[in-house]
Structure formats: structure tokens, C-alpha cells
């Protein structure tokens, strides 16, 4: 705790600097976007009112816009120090009570989504937990793509389907409003299902390394019940995921804008987005400050929890590595998913995505239109195929940038920790508005907005893995033998971190495409008649009941992309990889990785030599 206290001073100062810079940027947003805030506020108050010069002058005088943005920012900050966040420029009501109420709604929704996410993550890794506790876990497992399909489902699409089918048609649960526990179920499932699927895949990736540790073999030899072994394996792996869990929770609070819009939930994300669109600066600044404070508190608590759950072994440098002894076995599934996705793209590229045929509006799939047509009679297959070039190219490029930036910044957690907490507090939609205000609206705006925050979970994952890897026995012995920091980084730390973080980046590839799609769904990305997948989902959502094929086609393409990314993370099967795997695995038991038995005496000798030298 004393170490945390000594390191907390500079980190706290860095957090304050970042939060101040963010709030200043938010306060300058109307002027950076080169728009007249008086005109925007007047239209938000009354869309039918004519923006006469006298009316605009009255708004400027009332709000004090003539004094400039710095005066307004100083006035708002001074009031905040007295516990007053000002009054809304649109409604005239006090800002602090409304923001606190919206934050309470978002926290309640977040708790429901967290329950769904934990249950989903448990279902994803249940098979690995069961097999590992009974010493039946194969060293070379095949990656499964079922969880990827759930992780790749757009939250807004899941929300739309649940609201339409369960809320409207079946009438089992309410679909609109926020009046009690029943109204929590559908939005919680919409938010928690993809988050839980992704967390479950990350946990499933770490569990084989835990079951390969000596304590697990000793527990099995002593007849310890499998349930207790499984609980200890979870306790061993969860600390590496706690920082990412904190990021998920904050993201669910401020980033649930589309779900809140669909279910008409007065949450903080929706309130912040509406304030950003209307340029209601007091509400926007207060909402952003609430998200930043929530991110700082959640990030700090989860980092402390990760240290406490790891125990004294973290302090004493006595942890075994969680780096899996054997990578998952290459699979044929990536070839299947990739072939299906490539076939859809090639078939779509052969057709015209902009050809209109009003006589063929909302036609069902047929030989002429394999995926049917949309509300303007355009071929859905053609639009999905041509939109893939735009969506996939951006998603792959952003994912590559996020991987490099995440690993590099994860190596310096004292610098990147406050930065990633602050950036994670910004919903992607708000980031899109800020980027559009600074750089102008255009085709690159959603890419810049998503790239600005896509590296955050990868940096958190890198920092968490490095924290545990630096406390491993073999690295303690290496340091005691005189190895320098660069040698440790190049030969031990990076090899242990790059593989799981690269798999994480592949798992994030569909979520990057989803973030681009969400910006298009909310009107902040590509504009008509572009066939970008997010715009396709937004355009066809009103026709989900009459023409579900127009909505399901881009959603299925996103699900295929997710399944392809997850299964490819474990390797792609080829005849050469099959022969190599057979050669490695010959003569080994189901739980014994290649050369593990020979490596253990050498590792013990290295630790003994290091202790003696020290």
C-alpha cells in the first residue's frame, strides 16, 4: 500500500491534467466546430422558431456567449467548486440533479448488464473449467467460434430484435421506458451478452495455463475435488482480466447510447449525446466529468483488487507464468468462415449497390436477389459486398494500430493508466462528435474516433499481463543472474505478452467494426448512399418486421467476421501444421505439454542458481 501511495501522487496529478484538458476541449467544441452555438441552442429550444438576428442576439446575451469560451469555462468551473454545475441551456433546469439521476439509471443498467455478462462468460468457459478440473484438458485445444458470434452481434441490433419480438409481438417484457425491474431485463441482455462473450473468450484463453501449473497437478494427485480446483483456477486467472472488466463497466455506463435510445432509457450516455448534439455545454461538461470520475474510481479499485487477489506471490516474485505452454491447435473453422464471407463479398461485388428499382421494394430473397431488396429496391447482397471493402479495410487498419499502440503504451502503465481511464470514459459517439468538430465531418471521422479509443483495452490487458509476468519465478532468477531490462523485455516479457494480446486484438476486430457500425447507426459515420454496414443496419431497422432479411444480412456478415477472428486466433489448419502438431504431440499425455517434463528440472536449477547468486 505504501508503494501504491508513493506512485499515486504523480498518477493523480496526471489524471487531473487529462481531465482538465478533456473538459476544456468539450467546452471549446462549439467554437472548434465553427458553428454558432446560439443558433444550435435556439433550434434545440424550438425547431419552428425563425432564427432572426434579434432572437440570436437575445440567446447570446442570456448565455454570455459574447464573452467567449474561456470566460464560460471559468464561470462553470467556479460554480462547480461551489457544488453548482450551472443550468441547462435548453431547459433551464439545474444540471447537477439531472446528471445525478441519469448516472443512477446508467449504474443500475450497468449492474444488470454485469450479471448477464458474468453468466455469459461462465457459459463460454464452462467446458474448459470442467475438463481442466478433471485433468482431461488437451494441451492443444481447438478454438471455437460460437462465442464469437454472440460477441459480434451489434448491441443495437440485439436490442432492436429483443424489443420487437419479446417486447412487442410476444408481450412478455416491456420494451420502452424505465419504470421498474422488468424494464431492465431486455436492455441488460442486449449490453451484457456481447461483453460476456468477449470476457469469456479471454478467460478461456488463460485457463489452460493455470491448469498446467504445478499446484493443479499436485491437487489432482492429492484427490482435491474438481470444483475446488476450478475455483482456484478462476482465482488464478481473474486478476489478469480485472482491469479489462473495469473498462467494460465504464464503457457500459457511457457507451450504451444506442441501447438507451432504442429502449427510451434516460441514462447518462443518452443524456450526454443529446447535450452534445444540442451543444448544451453545462450538461455535456457535467456528464463528461461524471464519466471521467467513474472511470478513475473503477480503474483504481479494479487494479487494487487485481493486486490483492493475486496475493503475496506478486510482491515476492513467486508467480508461475500464465503463458500457455502449448498454443491452441490450428482449426479448419477459419477456412469455413472465411470462405463463406469471401463468397458473399465476391457475389456482392458483381452487382450494382446503387441501382434503384422501386417496383422491387422490400422483396424477399429470390434467385434474382439472393438477400432480397431494401426499401428503395436496391440489392442487399450488392450493398453488403461493396460495404465490406469499406468496413473491413477500416476495421483491420484500426485493429493493427490499436495492437501496436496498446502494447507500447501498456509497457508504461504509470503513464498510460490514467490516460486509458480518461479515454475509456468517452463514449465512441461523443468521441465521434469531438473528432467531427475538430477535424470536420468526412469519411475519416469515424475511423479517427474509433482509433482514438480502440487501443485502451489492449493497453490494459498488456499492463495486467506484464504485472504478473514480472513477478514470475523464472524472471526473478533471470534478474538475479544479471540480465538487464532490455534483455528481460526482449526475451521474456514481450514473448509472453504478444501472443495473448494479439489474440485479444483479433477478438476485438469485430468490436471495432461494430463501433464503426454504431457511429453509422447514429448518423455520425458514413452517409447515404454509402453501403457501409452500420448505415445498412440503420437504414433497414425500421423495416425489421416487414423485411427482416435486409437487417439480418449485414448482421450475419458481422457475425461471420467475429467467428473468423476468434477461430483464426488459434491458428489456421494446413497439412503442414497438422504434421507439425503430430510430431510435437507424439508420446504425450492429454495434460502434458511437449518438453514440459524436461523443462521443469532446468527451471528449478535456474531458480536455485539465481537465489544463490543473489
Amino acid at each position: 500500500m505504501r508503494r501504491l501511495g508513493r506512485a499515486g501522487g504523480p498518477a493523480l496529478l496526471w489524471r487531473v491534467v487529462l481531465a482538465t484538458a478533456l473538459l476544456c476541449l468539450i467546452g471549446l467544441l462549439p467554437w472548434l466546430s465553427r458553428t454558432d452555438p446560439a443558433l444550435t441552442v435556439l433550434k434545440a429550444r424550438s425547431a419552428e422558431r425563425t432564427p432572426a438576428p434579434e432572437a440570436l442576439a437575445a440567446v447570446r446575451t442570456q448565455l454570455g456567449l459574447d464573452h467567449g469560451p474561456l470566460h464560460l469555462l471559468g464561470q462553470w468551473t467556479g460554480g462547480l467548486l461551489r457544488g453548482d454545475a450551472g443550468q441547462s441551456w435548453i431547459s433551464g433546469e439545474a444540471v447537477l440533479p439531472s446528471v445525478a439521476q441519469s448516472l443512477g439509471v446508467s449504474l443500475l443498467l450497468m449492474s444488470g448488464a454485469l450479471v448477464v455478462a458474468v453468466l455469459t462468460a461462465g457459459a463460454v468457459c464452462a467446458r474448459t473449467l470442467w475438463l481442466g478440473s478433471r485433468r482431461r484438458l488437451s494441451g492443444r485445444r481447438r478454438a471455437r467460434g460460437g462465442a464469437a458470434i454472440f460477441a459480434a452481434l451489434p448491441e443495437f441490433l440485439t436490442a432492436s430484435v429483443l424489443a420487437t419480438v419479446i417486447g412487442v409481438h410476444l408481450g412478455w417484457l416491456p420494451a420502452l421506458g424505465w419504470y421498474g425491474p422488468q424494464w431492465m431485463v431486455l436492455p441488460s441482455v442486449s449490453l451484457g451478452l456481447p461483453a460476456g462473450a468477449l470476457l469469456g473468450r479471454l478467460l478461456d484463453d488463460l485457463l489452460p495455463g493455470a491448469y498446467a501449473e504445478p499446484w493443479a497437478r499436485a491437487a489432482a494427485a492429492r484427490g482435491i475435488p474438481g470444483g475446488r480446483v476450478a475455483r482456484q483456477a478462476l482465482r488464478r486467472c481473474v486478476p489478469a482480466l480485472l482491469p479489462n472488466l473495469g473498462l467494460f463497466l465504464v464503457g457500459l455506463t457511457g457507451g450504451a447510447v444506442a441501447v438507451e435510445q432504442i429502449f427510451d432509457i434516460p441514462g447518462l450516455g443518452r443524456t450526454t449525446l443529446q447535450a452534445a448534439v444540442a451543444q448544451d455545454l453545462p450538461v455535456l461538461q457535467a456528464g463528461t466529468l461524471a464519466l471521467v470520475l467513474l472511470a478513475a474510481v473503477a480503474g483504481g479499485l479494479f487494479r487494487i483488487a487485481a493486486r490483492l487477489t493475486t496475493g503475496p506471490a506478486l510482491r515476492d516474485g513467486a508467480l508461475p507464468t500464465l503463458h500457455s505452454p502449448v498454443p491452441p491447435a490450428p482449426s479448419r473453422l477459419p477456412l469455413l468462415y472465411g470462405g463463406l464471407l469471401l463468397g458473399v463479398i465476391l457475389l456482392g461485388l458483381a452487382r450494382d449497390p446503387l441501382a434503384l428499382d422501386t417496383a422491387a421494394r422490400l422483396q424477399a430473397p429470390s434467385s434474382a436477389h439472393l438477400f432480397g431488396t431494401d426499401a428503395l429496391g436496391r440489392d442487399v447482397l450488392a450493398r453488403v459486398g461493396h460495404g465490406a471493402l469499406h468496413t473491413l479495410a477500416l476495421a483491420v487498419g484500426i485493429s493493427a494500430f490499436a495492437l501496436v499502440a496498446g502494447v507500447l503504451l501498456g509497457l508504461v502503465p504509470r503513464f498510460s493508466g490514467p490516460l486509458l481511464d480518461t479515454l475509456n470514459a468517452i463514449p465512441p459517439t461523443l468521441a465521434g462528435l469531438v473528432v467531427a468538430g475538430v477535424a470536420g465531418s468526412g469519411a475519416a471521422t469515424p475511423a479517427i474516433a474509433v482509433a482514438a479509443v480502440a487501443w485502451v483495452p489492449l493497453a490494459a490487458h498488456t499492463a495486467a499481463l506484464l504485472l504478473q509476468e514480472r513477478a514470475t519465478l523464472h524472471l526473478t532468477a533471470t534478474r538475479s543472474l544479471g540480465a538487464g531490462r532490455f534483455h528481460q523485455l526482449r526475451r521474456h516479457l514481450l514473448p509472453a505478452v504478444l501472443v495473448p494480446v494479439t489474440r485479444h486484438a483479433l477478438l476485438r476486430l469485430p468490436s471495432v467494426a461494430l463501433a464503426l457500425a454504431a457511429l453509422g447507426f447514429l448518423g455520425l459515420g458514413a452517409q447515404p448512399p454509402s453501403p457501409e454496414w452500420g448505415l445498412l443496419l440503420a437504414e433497414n431497422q425500421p423495416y425489421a418486421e416487414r423485411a427482416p432479411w435486409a437487417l439480418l444480412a449485414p448482421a450475419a456478415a458481422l457475425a461471420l467476421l467475429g467467428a473468423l477472428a476468434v477461430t483464426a486466433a488459434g491458428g489456421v489448419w494446413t497439412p503442414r501444421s497438422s504434421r507439425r502438431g503430430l510430431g510435437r504431440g507424439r508420446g504425450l499425455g492429454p495434460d502434458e505439454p511437449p518438453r514440459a517434463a524436461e523443462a521443469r528440472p532446468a527451471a528449478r536449477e535456474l531458480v536455485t542458481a539465481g537465489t544463490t547468486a543473489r
Side-chain angles (χ1 to χ4, degrees):
M1 296 301 293
R2 286 196 297 269
R3 290 179 59 190
L4 289 175
R6 287 196 300 268
L12 179 61
L13 179 61
W14 181 222
R15 289 181 189 276
V16 172
V17 170
L18 289 172
T20 303
L22 177 61
L23 290 175
C24 290
L25 182 62
I26 295 296
L28 295 174
L29 184 59
W31 289 270
L32 292 174
S33 60
R34 295 172 293 278
T35 59
D36 186 359
L39 178 61
T40 306
V41 170
L42 184 63
K43 289 183 177 180
R45 288 178 176 177
S46 177
E48 299 177 354
R49 188 174 180 180
T50 303
E54 296 81 6
L56 294 175
V59 172
R60 291 191 186 96
T61 302
Q62 177 189 2
L63 302 180
L65 296 176
D66 294 332
H67 298 289
L70 296 181
H71 172 78
L72 291 174
L73 185 61
Q75 186 179 17
W76 181 82
T77 304
L80 190 65
L81 296 176
R82 300 189 302 269
D84 180 16
Q87 294 180 335
S88 170
W89 287 359
I90 308 301
S91 63
E93 299 177 353
V95 169
L96 209 55
S98 63
V99 170
Q101 183 178 3
S102 299
L103 178 61
V105 170
S106 293
L107 291 177
L108 191 58
L109 177 60
M110 178 193 72
S111 63
L114 177 61
V115 172
V116 176
V118 170
L119 293 176
T120 305
V124 170
C125 62
R127 182 174 180 271
T128 302
L129 278 172
W130 187 82
L131 292 176
S133 64
R134 285 156 178 78
R135 308 301 298 164
R136 293 168 56 187
L137 186 64
S138 173
R140 291 175 63 81
R141 301 172 305 131
R142 296 192 181 275
R144 299 180 300 274
I149 296 178
F150 290 105
L153 287 176
E155 296 167 349
F156 51 85
L157 177 61
T158 307
S160 300
V161 172
L162 291 178
T164 302
V165 177
I166 297 180
V168 177
H169 287 296
L170 300 177
W172 292 347
L173 291 168
L176 291 176
W178 188 259
Y179 305 105
Q182 291 182 341
W183 281 262
M184 283 183 57
V185 178
L186 294 183
S188 297
V189 172
S190 302
L191 289 172
L193 191 62
L198 184 55
L199 283 174
R201 280 294 300 133
L202 294 176
L203 182 59
D204 194 67
D205 194 42
L206 293 175
L207 283 172
Y211 281 124
E213 292 176 353
W215 68 265
R217 291 190 293 271
R222 291 175 179 266
I224 302 297
R228 186 176 298 178
V229 175
R231 287 195 296 271
Q232 290 300 322
L234 282 175
R235 183 181 176 183
R236 177 70 182 92
C237 297
V238 163
L241 296 180
L242 282 177
N244 267 285
L245 182 59
L247 296 180
F248 270 114
L249 294 184
V250 178
L252 290 177
T253 304
V257 180
V259 175
E260 291 175 355
Q261 292 274 58
I262 292 170
F263 289 103
D264 195 23
I265 299 174
L268 188 57
R270 183 186 178 193
T271 301
T272 306
L273 177 62
Q274 291 175 346
V277 173
Q279 294 188 355
D280 191 352
L281 289 187
V283 177
L284 179 58
Q285 289 170 322
T288 304
L289 180 60
L291 289 173
V292 170
L293 292 177
L294 177 65
V297 172
L301 289 178
F302 276 98
R303 277 190 287 270
I304 293 174
R307 289 178 177 271
L308 293 179
T309 52
T310 305
L314 181 67
R315 179 196 63 216
D316 299 335
L319 282 176
T321 181
L322 265 180
H323 185 50
S324 183
V326 184
S331 172
R332 291 185 175 91
L333 288 177
L335 302 177
L336 173 63
Y337 296 135
L340 288 175
L341 187 59
L342 181 62
V344 169
I345 294 174
L346 292 179
L347 288 175
L349 290 177
R351 301 165 181 255
D352 186 0
L354 303 178
L356 301 177
D357 186 4
T358 56
R361 295 176 64 251
L362 301 178
Q363 282 193 354
S366 62
S367 58
H369 304 284
L370 297 180
F371 285 1
T373 61
D374 62 7
L376 297 178
R378 295 173 297 192
D379 188 86
V380 175
L381 175 59
R383 295 184 64 74
V384 170
H386 283 266
L389 298 178
H390 180 270
T391 303
L392 294 183
L394 280 181
V396 170
I398 292 173
S399 298
F401 166 79
L403 174 61
V404 175
V407 171
L408 292 179
L409 291 172
L411 296 177
V412 283
R414 290 188 180 181
F415 169 80
S416 63
L419 180 61
L420 63 89
D421 286 343
T422 303
L423 288 180
N424 184 63
I426 305 176
T429 51
L430 180 57
L433 288 173
V434 172
V435 171
V438 175
S441 59
T445 297
I448 297 174
V450 175
V453 297
W455 60 271
V456 169
L458 300 180
H461 195 189
T462 301
L465 291 177
L466 280 176
L467 178 66
Q468 295 206 356
E469 195 67 25
R470 286 193 176 105
T472 54
L473 280 169
H474 72 89
L475 201 64
T476 301
T478 302
R479 281 195 298 266
S480 64
L481 291 175
R485 291 186 176 182
F486 180 74
H487 175 84
Q488 298 174 41
L489 180 66
R490 183 172 59 89
R491 299 296 299 272
H492 299 280
L493 295 177
L494 281 180
V497 166
L498 278 179
V499 174
V501 176
T502 301
R503 290 199 194 111
H504 189 182
L506 282 173
L507 292 174
R508 287 274 174 183
L509 178 62
S511 66
V512 170
L514 290 181
L516 295 170
L519 290 176
F521 177 79
L522 294 171
L524 300 176
Q527 300 300 316
S530 171
E532 195 267 334
W533 286 356
L535 188 58
L536 294 184
L537 292 169
E539 290 176 343
N540 296 310
Q541 187 203 5
Y543 309 97
E545 297 183 44
R546 296 175 55 192
W549 52 84
L551 192 63
L552 292 177
L558 283 170
L560 274 177
L561 174 63
L564 172 61
V566 171
T567 53
V572 181
W573 181 90
T574 61
R576 180 178 299 180
S577 66
S578 177
R579 290 193 299 269
R580 187 165 57 246
L582 288 174
R584 286 180 181 173
R586 188 177 294 119
L588 298 175
D591 292 298
E592 188 71 10
R595 300 191 181 93
E598 294 84 358
R600 279 192 220 102
R604 283 196 291 267
E605 292 176 6
L606 181 61
V607 174
T608 305
T611 306
T612 305
R614 191 165 43 180

